[in-house]
Amino acid sequence: MISYLKADLFRIRQERLALFSCMLLVVIAVGVAYSFRKTPNQVIMIQIINIITDFVTLFFLTPARIFFSDDYNYRTINNVVVKQQNRTLIIIYKLLVSFGLSLLFISLTYLLSALAFHLFTGQAYYGIVIDRMIKQLPFYIAIIALCQFLFNILR
């Protein structure tokens, strides 16, 4: 599995969609924090988190596409299945890696917005951001699972 992880990390680095998604997340996080720089307080940070929550769910399709769609479109999943006998282990691996990348997108977005807000206003509310992220984690896990399910059904 480590060799598959290395290959997937290489694929993520080479994939333009992943780079575009990361760049768009940075722009959204910094843009939202910049737009609220005039009134730095705790309520504004919660509003920033609420706005970012609307955008973050759009980026769950990128890991699903990277790990599932390409393998089925180009039939490279056959190479993995032939080398390893346990198909369930392959699917579980792809699901876990896709979940991990999606959760990395979430963490990156939340922490970048908090960092940008801190840089623009001088006020640090990292505790609120982490608390909100942990409270919204079940919601995100359900949406990630739905994206994975749809990609596996609609392939």
Side-chain angles (χ1 to χ4, degrees):
M1 283 295 152
I2 299 296
S3 61
Y4 294 135
L5 182 62
K6 287 180 183 178
D8 286 336
L9 289 175
F10 178 76
R11 187 173 13 173
I12 291 169
R13 281 194 315 245
Q14 298 301 320
E15 182 75 30
R16 289 186 181 168
L17 183 62
L19 179 65
F20 177 74
S21 295
C22 285
M23 298 286 284
L24 194 57
L25 282 174
V26 169
V27 168
I28 289 172
V30 172
V32 170
Y34 182 76
S35 66
F36 287 106
R37 74 187 182 286
K38 300 279 187 204
T39 53
N41 61 23
Q42 204 168 6
V43 176
I44 296 298
M45 191 66 218
I46 293 172
Q47 284 181 331
I48 290 173
I49 297 300
N50 291 338
I51 291 170
I52 287 176
T53 301
D54 296 337
F55 289 108
V56 165
T57 55
L58 296 173
F59 296 99
F60 296 156
L61 295 175
T62 300
R65 184 192 168 286
I66 289 172
F67 293 111
F68 287 101
S69 179
D70 287 345
D71 282 344
Y72 290 111
N73 286 342
Y74 300 122
R75 308 290 294 167
T76 56
I77 191 76
N78 294 340
N79 299 337
V80 177
V81 170
V82 168
K83 287 181 181 177
Q84 186 165 354
Q85 301 298 325
N86 195 348
R87 294 174 188 218
T88 359
L89 192 61
I90 295 168
I91 297 298
I92 289 172
Y93 161 76
K94 288 190 172 289
L95 285 173
L96 288 177
V97 172
S98 183
F99 266 88
L101 186 61
S102 296
L103 293 175
L104 182 70
F105 277 151
I106 294 169
S107 303
L108 178 73
T109 306
Y110 275 82
L111 293 178
L112 277 175
S113 64
L115 180 67
F117 189 75
H118 184 193
L119 291 175
F120 291 135
T121 63
Q123 304 275 333
Y125 296 111
Y126 295 106
I128 294 171
V129 172
I130 292 171
D131 181 55
R132 287 288 177 145
M133 187 172 69
I134 290 172
K135 287 180 181 176
Q136 292 176 351
L137 204 57
F139 167 71
Y140 289 137
I141 289 173
I143 291 179
I144 294 167
L146 179 67
C147 288
Q148 300 303 326
F149 176 74
L150 290 175
F151 258 89
N152 281 320
I153 296 297
L154 300 176
R155 60 185 155 140

